[in-house]
Amino acid sequence: MFGNLFEEEENEGLSLNTPKGRNAKLEKEPPPPRGRSNLCGIKNQGGTCYLNSLLQTLLFTPEFREELFRLGPEELGCLEDKDKPEAKVRVIPLELQRLFARLLLVDQQSASTADLTDSFGWNSSEGTNQHDVQELNRILFSALENSLVGTSGSSFIHRLYHGTIVNSIVCKECGNVSQRQEDFLDLTVCVCGVSSLEEALWNMFVEEELFEGNNLYRCAQCDRLVTAAKSAKLKKLPPFMTMSLLRFSFDFTKFERYKETGRYSFPFTIDLRPFCEQADGEDLDFMYELFSVIIHKGGCYGGHYHVYIKDIDQLGKWEPPDEDVKPKAQKKEKVKERCEAELQEDDPLSVLTAIIAQEPSQSVLLDQLGQQLMNKIGSSWNKKFRKQYGPIGKFLQSHKDIFMLVSNGTRVALKKNPPSPNTEPPSPAEQNYKPDPSQGSHWFDLNDSAVTSIREADIEKQFQGKESAYMLFYRKTQLLRPKEALNNPHYNVPAYLIQMAQEENLQLQEQREEFEATNNTVELHLHLAHCYKMKNGAMQRINEELDRNTTLSFDRRKTVGDLRSTIYQMQELWEGDMALTVAKCLPAGLHLYNNLTDDSVSLYSAGIHSNTDLFVWNGREVFGATIHAGAEWEPVLLTVVRPFLGDDVEHEVERGAKCEKSDGSFENGGPGLKREAIGFAGGATLGEVREALGEPKESLLCQEHKGGKGTVQGPGEGGGGSGWRVFPPDDMQRTLKELSLKDGDSLLVLEPQSFDSSVFTRNGDVVTVTTPSDCRWLLVEFQPPSKGGDMDTQEEGRKAKVSATGNMVRILTFTLSGAPCCLRQVDCTGKLLPPVCEELSVRDAGVRLMTTLALCPGNGPKASQLFLHFTVGGPPSAGMEMDIIVEKTSTVKEVRDLNVLLIDTSEMERLDWCEEVGEPLVDEDLSLSDLKISNGETLVITEGLLPPKVWKGLGLTSDVKYIFFKWMVNLQKVLCSDGIKAHRNPQIFLIFALQLMTLPALQDACIPAPGFLRVWQLEGSRLARILKGKQATLRKLKVGSGADLCVQNLLKEEDLGPKQLLLNVKMGVPGERWYYPPEELVWDASHDSSPRSLRTCLAAHFGLSPDSLLLAKHQPEKHTWEEISNWTQQVSKKKKKKKAESLLGAPFYLKDGDTIGIKNLLVDNNRDFTTSADEQGQQRLRELGEIRQKGGPAAASDRAKPRKPELPLSISVGVFR
């Protein structure tokens, strides 16, 4: 009926995970068990919420479910034989049986409908297309009836759901009655202009339609046109009555569908006697009770379905909703359940309940309730309760779950015992069909996989709004369930389906146990005490080999005692007590924290997770040293800096000290600094650190002064200094934690005689370390060629220091074994940088002093040359690059035509800093220097042809310059004769704009830069949006194959942000119905997109006060203006403040190119934005609407906006006749 217009909303049942990730998760984790409700949901395949809601309704229709289960394999066949050509297997009923059995018996949170939809003949795309549930209801029942032809269940759907309507036409002159009967599966009732279901049924089956005036009826008996009355009545009532609400309609004025969201009430029990042809019979024959409500949330072009269902067989476990579990609500519920309220004069609820309960009719006249209250407690309502609870009428209305108005609103009664209209107590027959809430017949919300408990009062919330009732299912109240069916999901389920469910439960249990075991297995790193020693407050490994491969996999659900026993078994030679302490590997060493003392606690409760470090020891000492545990004793790894002499270098290196390079290590035996990383306990004082270092008390300890006088040594510079702050004597008693020393901080240790050297100078509490500026060096390392060669293998690994001065030429031409060599810098990752030009100085060549240069085979480039890398086909991999030296003045064509790079029909593209193929070299006549290709860049050679210089476009107009073209994507690398060549890699929009400047139509225009071009994307023939962001890729801008684009030439440069809108604003002429010429205005909505922000922007543009402006957005398709107000809404104090309204969202959806009309209320009192042209357009739309309504042709230009094609809903059924 509505095709696939009801598309699933993104936030309703659609997963954002990729299919690959989703499948991987399902393979690892078994489905979770049922929730607290003990009911099973149904998985959403992407858009099958409509199917899930209907299937759950059928499942909770016990009569339908049991009729389906009565059909055995002897009638339906076996699914194992469905692929045999001679076997006639009724697949749809079989799959529906298996699905119902899983929903009833298999312990999983949700079941899959994939097998059922496969039996429908649906492909994977059908699962993502949402359809109308009313249409599915008819098609599914038709498919079931066709599938069950020739079986004992061929008529059970007709017996349960089909009824009969008789249509009668009565001649007013002769009294002749003409009748026609028709069968119905569901009653389609009107919603538009009707307030309730009863009113709609009254209009359908009680009101008569008169044929009179120009609309007369031809009577067969009178043989002429006469006045007649037409009516319809229900002739046969089925056990189950389905009501389909016509929520969706079509507006012939606006030419669009819309959803009726007004209030439409429906009763929980309904008497259909007034609508039936034969009103004789018992009352129970006409009484129906509501048991299912399918709800649609959203609009007519998208939404989501879920269902409220009454648990007839009490299969689920109902719990009060979370919002009901409050003291006040519990008090109301307790008062409601009492048969006779105990009087509490301070509680108005107790007083009123007692007054009504003591009346014989169980009700009180509303105007006498106040007097009876005064007689009961001796005080009036206004005097005792009004100040706290408000008027008595408001109090009754706020307790709808306890009180109800009857007798046309004149009497008030308790909801537990509502009186009959004649104030007589209910008859025993009526008491039989009224469900007792205490018996467990409760309501649940089944929303795909989620199942939650709801109250009956929640159904009334679905009377209106975007989330409202769409289908109603009633059952006869005389359909009573046997006691054996209550709380028994196995009732009338075939034995083979019960066995299938039991086998699946066993498999799920095994999978969950295996998953739980895997999921609870943690990797523990054991550190044994005999492998460590205490040094300076931190535990260090004695030998790396002794503590290797000490990883233990353990179940965290087990106790600490189990872990201790396991470790005892692993360490057979362990003697004495064993303590387990949580540890952590820090830069300074291993540190201990808390002990695991309670053996009865699980590892999970003890906070043990995967990759936790555990220290195994005796709990007292390690090799005689006391261990301090806790965060306050965390060790700190400090870099201890000491002065040293040049002849001590080799000795210090052997000790492990690191010679300082950047802060002044010296050549030829000169003085310098040495650095050594040493760990100390965080709770140790600075004096204890000095003592541990073996320094005398008169030694000074200094901390590096990072923000002080020290200068930074730059490239090519050899001199400089660094500042250090001397710790005062009081700090010697403070701990490292108190001094905020952390890992990596430097600590300079100086003896008093160190200041005799010119290297160290002290000024107050600051010590400056100065390095001479004339001592510079470079480390040259020989690297042999990677592939064979005649080089002497003994040269490999040879290093040499070369002294150099920043302003003198020190890099010479090296030759080794007769082969030319060049010098190349090495970066921090060990990668070779381009060769250094040997004609330049160290400073001009950009070589940093005190760094390493590699001596490699090959010539270095000259000052006029470039060293480039080349690769073929794509980004380079290891060893796949080719190097070449070319002149800077060489053109792209000359480089491409070199013999070593010659490839037929090839093109060159640059590799950007992300190592992705980016900008292509289009113009082959430009030189490398003109293209700003620098030394060391990588060019990629790919097969294909360059973009053609033939463009299709329209000429430039005089006022606004536009060029129209198509963006063509060519994945087969073929020439695009009418578009721009699309590259396989993402193309930057700025580069794309540069290509646009080569259009022939733009050759004569003065366009100095791409910023003077504005690129629009078209929808049909209308400008839709501007492409923004110079660095954004075309893929990010959602410019795909076949997109229609438009170029506009600007007079000034423009760079719009993603949230900046280009609006056409025009000021109204005071007293007239027309506007001044429009102006372009850029509105920045990135920080504030509210109407106030736009009003402020326009006021600043026109120099007016914001309060004097009235704004409206023009709707060109409807020729109307939509006024933009400030939307000041009163919000309840109890509710949170609403988020500021945005003009970028509903209902305005402002975008680029929209027209904003402005009225200055100081000089113009006319608040109407409509012009004479708008009125003419509206008149034309009305005429077209009348033509369409009469079935006439309409202009193609005025058709509604095209939407996705409507796909029909169908279910494939085999032939069983």
Side-chain angles (χ1 to χ4, degrees):
M1 181 171 63
F2 289 98
N4 63 338
L5 296 178
F6 298 89
E7 297 170 1
E8 193 82 12
E9 290 181 352
E10 290 184 1
N11 59 343
E12 297 285 353
L14 284 181
S15 174
L16 296 179
N17 298 331
T18 60
K20 182 178 179 181
R22 188 163 59 243
N23 293 337
K25 182 178 179 181
L26 289 175
E27 291 174 2
K28 294 182 179 179
E29 184 176 357
R34 302 191 179 205
R36 297 162 61 183
S37 65
N38 198 35
L39 296 179
C40 182
I42 301 179
K43 297 175 184 177
N44 195 325
Q45 296 186 31
T48 57
C49 58
Y50 68 104
L51 174 65
N52 298 347
S53 301
L54 183 59
L55 291 176
Q56 292 284 20
T57 300
L58 297 179
L59 174 70
F60 283 89
T61 307
E63 292 76 9
F64 177 89
R65 183 180 70 224
E66 292 170 3
E67 289 287 347
L68 184 66
F69 282 149
R70 285 195 182 99
L71 302 172
E74 62 278 357
E75 292 186 279
L76 302 180
C78 297
L79 287 175
E80 293 77 9
D81 301 332
K82 64 179 181 180
D83 295 330
K84 297 179 180 180
E86 69 279 359
K88 290 188 177 182
V89 181
R90 306 172 195 266
V91 183
I92 295 178
L94 286 171
E95 291 293 358
L96 195 57
Q97 283 183 344
R98 295 166 69 93
L99 176 63
F100 281 3
R102 290 189 176 99
L103 292 173
L104 290 172
L105 304 176
V106 177
D107 184 19
Q108 56 184 355
Q109 183 184 15
S110 57
S112 174
T113 57
D115 293 337
L116 180 63
T117 54
D118 289 344
S119 69
F120 291 168
W122 294 0
N123 52 28
S124 57
S125 63
E126 285 286 347
T128 60
N129 294 327
Q130 191 179 104
H131 295 277
D132 182 28
V133 69
Q134 297 176 2
E135 181 185 14
L136 174 68
N137 182 57
R138 302 186 184 102
I139 293 177
L140 179 59
F141 278 178
S142 175
L144 282 174
E145 288 179 318
N146 293 333
S147 298
L148 298 177
V149 169
T151 67
S152 59
S154 59
S155 62
F156 86 87
I157 291 179
H158 189 277
R159 186 173 64 255
L160 294 179
Y161 292 95
H162 284 257
T164 305
I165 296 177
V166 56
N167 296 294
S168 303
I169 300 179
V170 180
C171 177
K172 291 295 185 181
E173 297 188 6
C174 68
N176 181 51
V177 179
S178 174
Q179 289 187 340
R180 179 176 59 86
Q181 295 185 10
E182 60 177 297
D183 182 82
F184 71 88
L185 177 67
D186 61 323
L187 293 180
T188 303
V189 294
C190 185
V191 174
C192 180
V194 183
S195 62
S196 64
L197 176 63
E198 297 95 323
E199 183 180 352
L201 294 177
W202 185 275
N203 294 339
M204 291 174 61
F205 300 111
V206 178
E207 295 286 346
E208 293 184 343
E209 179 184 358
L210 291 179
F211 296 106
E212 56 184 358
N214 295 329
N215 185 25
L216 295 177
Y217 169 71
R218 177 171 291 277
C219 178
Q221 187 169 338
C222 300
D223 196 19
R224 60 187 177 89
L225 296 176
V226 295
T227 303
K230 180 182 178 181
S231 63
K233 291 288 184 179
L234 294 172
K235 184 177 180 64
K236 175 194 171 186
L237 295 178
F240 296 92
M241 185 70 73
T242 304
M243 307 287 185
S244 298
L245 309 185
L246 286 178
R247 286 280 184 188
F248 301 101
S249 303
F250 189 84
D251 189 342
F252 287 95
T253 303
K254 299 180 180 180
F255 314 117
E256 61 184 12
R257 288 186 176 96
Y258 68 96
K259 181 179 179 180
E260 294 283 354
T261 58
R263 181 177 176 83
Y264 188 87
S265 62
F266 46 87
F268 290 95
T269 58
I270 186 171
D271 184 3
L272 297 182
R273 184 193 296 269
F275 316 118
C276 293
E277 181 184 29
Q278 299 293 334
D280 300 333
E282 296 291 335
D283 292 340
L284 295 182
D285 295 337
F286 303 95
M287 296 299 298
Y288 284 80
E289 63 173 345
L290 183 69
F291 76 97
S292 177
V293 182
I294 293 182
I295 299 162
H296 180 263
K297 177 183 179 182
C300 58
Y301 294 110
H304 177 69
Y305 287 98
H306 62 109
V307 61
Y308 287 173
I309 290 181
K310 187 174 185 180
D311 186 11
I312 302 296
D313 281 353
Q314 305 172 21
L315 301 178
K317 182 181 178 182
W318 190 89
E319 295 181 353
D322 295 337
E323 62 271 12
D324 290 350
V325 186
K326 298 177 182 179
K328 184 177 179 181
Q330 291 175 355
K331 181 179 179 181
K332 291 180 183 179
E333 192 68 23
K334 183 177 180 180
V335 172
K336 179 183 176 182
E337 291 177 354
R338 289 185 301 186
C339 296
E340 186 174 354
E342 182 181 351
L343 183 61
Q344 298 177 6
E345 293 187 0
D346 294 333
D347 183 9
L349 194 63
S350 175
V351 175
L352 294 178
T353 305
I355 292 174
I356 299 173
Q358 291 174 1
E359 289 293 316
S361 63
Q362 298 291 302
S363 66
V364 179
L365 286 172
L366 193 60
D367 54 355
Q368 296 181 3
L369 185 60
Q371 183 63 37
Q372 294 198 25
L373 174 71
M374 191 170 187
N375 297 336
K376 193 76 173 177
I377 63 175
S379 178
S380 66
W381 176 274
N382 291 342
K383 186 176 180 180
K384 190 172 183 65
F385 300 117
R386 182 181 177 90
K387 185 177 180 180
Q388 183 177 358
Y389 298 99
I392 190 171
K394 183 178 179 181
F395 180 83
L396 295 174
Q397 186 178 4
S398 63
H399 294 77
K400 291 182 178 180
D401 53 339
I402 299 178
F403 304 103
M404 62 182 298
L405 296 178
V406 295
S407 300
N408 296 326
T410 60
R411 305 180 71 90
V412 59
L414 297 178
K415 263 198 171 181
K416 180 176 179 61
N417 299 307
S420 60
N422 57 359
T423 70
E424 293 181 358
S427 63
E430 292 174 341
Q431 292 179 353
N432 288 337
Y433 71 80
K434 286 187 178 180
D436 187 1
S438 63
Q439 297 301 320
S441 294
H442 295 290
W443 288 82
F444 293 91
D445 178 14
L446 291 97
N447 190 346
D448 290 337
S449 299
V451 181
T452 55
S453 303
I454 62 169
R455 293 192 178 274
E456 242 183 28
D458 295 331
I459 302 176
E460 298 179 3
K461 300 177 183 178
Q462 310 303 328
F463 286 171
Q464 61 187 355
K466 287 189 175 180
E467 184 176 6
S468 51
Y470 191 58
M471 285 189 75
L472 308 175
F473 295 85
Y474 287 86
R475 56 182 287 126
K476 281 192 174 184
T477 55
Q478 62 185 3
L479 295 176
L480 303 179
R481 298 292 295 157
K483 293 183 179 180
E484 296 81 6
L486 302 181
N487 297 307
N488 183 13
H490 296 81
Y491 184 72
N492 282 344
V493 180
Y496 69 93
L497 291 178
I498 296 177
Q499 183 181 358
M500 177 201 72
Q502 292 175 349
E503 292 174 356
E504 292 187 7
N505 283 329
L506 289 176
Q507 293 177 1
L508 287 174
Q509 184 178 357
E510 293 175 358
Q511 293 175 9
R512 288 169 186 152
E513 291 176 356
E514 182 180 355
F515 175 77
E516 286 295 324
T518 304
N519 196 38
N520 286 286
T521 299
V522 293
E523 299 289 335
L524 303 178
H525 301 291
L526 303 181
H527 302 270
L528 304 179
H530 65 271
C531 300
Y532 285 83
K533 65 178 179 179
M534 180 63 67
K535 182 179 180 182
N536 297 330
M539 285 199 299
Q540 306 290 339
R541 292 180 180 177
I542 299 176
N543 191 338
E544 293 290 337
E545 298 294 333
L546 294 178
D547 198 33
R548 183 174 295 178
N549 298 327
T550 54
T551 300
L552 174 63
S553 297
F554 202 76
D555 192 339
R556 63 176 179 174
R557 294 173 295 183
K558 294 184 178 181
T559 63
V560 176
D562 297 334
L563 176 63
R564 200 186 310 273
S565 300
T566 303
I567 299 177
Y568 262 121
Q569 296 174 6
M570 293 174 57
Q571 304 295 323
E572 298 178 355
L573 301 180
W574 188 277
E575 296 180 357
D577 298 335
M578 175 183 290
L580 301 179
T581 306
V582 178
K584 187 177 181 181
C585 293
L586 301 176
L590 188 71
H591 184 63
L592 308 186
Y593 291 89
N594 56 300
N595 292 325
L596 302 180
T597 56
D598 191 352
D599 285 356
S600 62
V601 176
S602 67
L603 297 186
Y604 180 81
S605 301
I608 304 300
H609 52 81
S610 191
N611 295 322
T612 297
D613 295 290
L614 292 179
F615 189 67
V616 184
W617 58 312
N618 57 15
R620 297 182 299 274
E621 47 80 25
V622 175
F623 290 115
T626 304
I627 305 299
H628 296 286
E632 66 276 7
W633 289 94
E634 281 186 357
V636 181
L637 185 65
L638 299 179
T639 303
V640 179
V641 184
R642 290 187 177 96
F644 80 105
L645 298 177
D647 51 3
D648 295 335
V649 175
E650 294 181 1
H651 175 67
E652 294 296 337
V653 170
E654 291 177 359
R655 287 183 49 204
K658 180 181 178 182
C659 297
E660 179 65 33
K661 294 183 179 180
S662 60
D663 286 341
S665 61
F666 296 91
E667 280 286 329
N668 303 325
L673 298 176
K674 64 178 180 182
R675 292 177 179 265
E676 184 178 4
I678 304 177
F680 299 96
T685 63
L686 204 58
E688 294 172 350
V689 171
R690 182 175 57 186
E691 183 179 351
L693 292 174
E695 300 291 339
K697 291 186 178 181
E698 52 271 10
S699 298
L700 298 179
L701 300 182
C702 310
Q703 184 180 13
E704 190 172 6
H705 189 41
K706 298 180 180 178
K709 303 176 182 179
T711 59
V712 180
Q713 181 175 320
E717 300 295 336
S722 58
W724 299 76
R725 185 183 65 84
V726 179
F727 285 106
D730 294 342
D731 286 350
M732 294 296 114
Q733 304 302 320
R734 301 177 64 187
T735 64
L736 301 184
K737 290 289 185 183
E738 293 174 347
L739 293 172
S740 300
L741 290 175
K742 56 185 181 299
D743 294 327
D745 285 351
S746 298
L747 191 67
L748 178 63
V749 182
L750 292 176
E751 296 181 0
Q753 60 269 24
S754 300
F755 296 103
D756 298 337
S757 171
S758 60
V759 178
F760 305 99
T761 57
R762 180 175 181 179
N763 184 11
D765 62 344
V766 176
V767 174
T768 303
V769 181
T770 307
T771 59
S773 59
D774 58 346
C775 295
R776 310 164 185 219
W777 53 267
L778 294 170
L779 183 65
V780 179
E781 178 181 0
F782 171 71
Q783 290 192 358
S786 58
K787 294 183 179 180
D790 298 330
M791 298 293 181
D792 188 359
T793 56
Q794 296 179 357
E795 303 284 356
E796 183 175 355
R798 192 176 65 183
K799 301 180 181 179
K801 270 192 178 180
V802 180
S803 60
T805 304
N807 296 323
M808 63 183 297
V809 179
R810 297 290 298 171
I811 301 180
L812 306 175
T813 303
F814 290 86
T815 59
L816 190 61
S817 302
C821 296
C822 60
L823 291 175
R824 302 179 68 170
Q825 296 188 75
V826 182
D827 64 4
C828 58
T829 64
K831 180 181 178 181
L832 292 176
L833 300 179
V836 178
C837 179
E838 298 174 356
E839 299 176 356
L840 302 178
S841 65
V842 173
R843 186 191 304 274
D844 295 338
V847 178
R848 294 179 60 90
L849 297 178
M850 293 174 286
T851 58
T852 301
L853 291 177
L855 185 63
C856 304
N859 294 319
K862 298 180 180 179
S864 62
Q865 294 177 332
L866 293 176
F867 180 86
L868 302 176
H869 304 286
F870 279 85
T871 182
V872 179
S877 56
M880 296 301 294
E881 284 185 324
M882 297 179 291
D883 303 332
I884 191 170
I885 298 177
V886 295
E887 295 290 335
K888 296 181 180 179
T889 57
S890 301
T891 64
V892 175
K893 187 176 186 305
E894 292 173 351
V895 175
R896 190 170 61 87
D897 291 341
L898 292 175
N899 290 332
V900 294
L901 303 174
L902 184 58
I903 300 177
D904 293 338
T905 64
S906 62
E907 60 181 25
M908 287 196 298
E909 299 171 344
R910 301 176 75 168
L911 201 67
D912 60 14
W913 63 276
C914 295
E915 295 191 358
E916 294 183 356
V917 179
E919 177 185 355
L921 305 181
V922 178
D923 197 335
E924 295 184 314
D925 298 329
L926 291 179
S927 64
L928 301 181
S929 58
D930 293 338
L931 293 173
K932 297 182 180 181
I933 295 179
S934 57
N935 200 39
E937 279 201 44
T938 301
L939 300 181
V940 179
I941 304 175
T942 58
E943 298 181 13
L945 295 177
L946 295 175
K949 295 188 177 181
V950 180
W951 311 90
K952 283 187 176 181
L954 304 179
L956 302 178
T957 58
S958 57
D959 50 353
V960 182
K961 298 181 179 180
Y962 289 110
I963 303 168
F964 297 91
F965 60 93
K966 272 192 179 290
W967 169 255
M968 305 297 295
V969 176
N970 184 3
L971 297 178
Q972 301 298 328
K973 297 181 287 185
V974 182
L975 270 176
C976 302
S977 60
D978 59 345
I980 299 176
K981 173 76 184 308
H983 295 270
R984 293 158 296 177
N985 299 286
Q987 189 166 9
I988 304 299
F989 176 66
L990 178 61
I991 302 171
F992 176 65
L994 289 170
Q995 289 182 307
L996 296 182
M997 295 173 62
T998 63
L999 287 168
L1002 292 178
Q1003 295 297 326
D1004 300 331
C1006 181
I1007 305 176
F1012 289 83
L1013 289 180
R1014 181 185 296 161
V1015 183
W1016 292 79
Q1017 186 170 358
L1018 304 178
E1019 288 184 2
S1021 59
R1022 182 174 57 85
L1023 299 176
R1025 66 185 181 98
I1026 300 175
L1027 304 185
K1028 306 170 187 176
K1030 293 182 179 179
Q1031 299 302 321
T1033 62
L1034 295 177
R1035 181 181 302 171
K1036 186 176 181 181
L1037 293 175
K1038 298 181 180 179
V1039 179
S1041 176
D1044 294 321
L1045 302 181
C1046 165
V1047 176
Q1048 180 182 359
N1049 188 13
L1050 304 177
L1051 298 179
K1052 61 180 181 179
E1053 193 169 7
E1054 176 183 85
D1055 184 14
L1056 298 178
K1059 288 294 184 69
Q1060 288 182 314
L1061 297 185
L1062 180 73
L1063 303 175
N1064 294 320
V1065 297
K1066 51 185 183 181
M1067 178 70 72
V1069 178
E1072 303 290 341
R1073 299 184 62 191
W1074 54 284
Y1075 297 85
Y1076 291 111
E1079 305 177 37
E1080 287 186 348
L1081 174 72
V1082 176
W1083 173 45
D1084 188 359
S1086 57
H1087 301 291
D1088 186 6
S1089 58
S1090 65
R1092 184 177 298 276
S1093 173
L1094 177 60
R1095 198 181 304 274
T1096 304
C1097 179
L1098 290 171
H1101 179 75
F1102 289 101
L1104 299 173
S1105 171
D1107 297 332
S1108 64
L1109 299 183
L1110 184 64
L1111 311 181
K1113 176 191 173 184
H1114 188 228
Q1115 305 283 0
E1117 297 178 353
K1118 302 178 182 179
H1119 301 282
T1120 58
W1121 293 82
E1122 192 170 2
E1123 184 176 335
I1124 301 176
S1125 64
N1126 279 331
W1127 301 339
T1128 54
Q1129 300 177 350
Q1130 294 183 356
V1131 182
S1132 173
K1133 295 180 180 179
K1134 296 181 180 180
K1135 296 181 179 179
K1136 294 183 180 179
K1137 186 178 180 181
K1138 288 188 176 181
K1139 190 178 180 181
E1141 302 289 353
S1142 173
L1143 291 176
L1144 305 182
F1148 293 99
Y1149 297 103
L1150 279 190
K1151 58 184 181 301
D1152 295 316
D1154 281 347
T1155 300
I1156 302 297
I1158 308 170
K1159 294 278 188 177
N1160 184 4
L1161 298 180
L1162 296 178
V1163 296
D1164 191 358
N1165 294 326
N1166 182 18
R1167 302 174 69 94
D1168 186 12
F1169 287 84
T1170 307
T1171 64
S1172 57
D1174 293 329
E1175 291 181 347
Q1176 294 175 4
Q1178 293 174 10
Q1179 178 62 27
R1180 185 163 174 266
L1181 288 178
R1182 284 192 292 269
E1183 294 174 356
L1184 290 173
E1186 294 175 358
I1187 295 174
R1188 283 194 179 95
Q1189 202 165 5
K1190 294 178 181 179
S1197 59
D1198 294 322
R1199 290 176 182 169
K1201 179 182 176 181
R1203 298 187 179 271
K1204 292 177 64 176
E1206 299 184 7
L1207 301 178
L1209 178 63
S1210 63
I1211 297 178
S1212 301
V1213 183
V1215 179
F1216 301 106
R1217 296 187 181 274

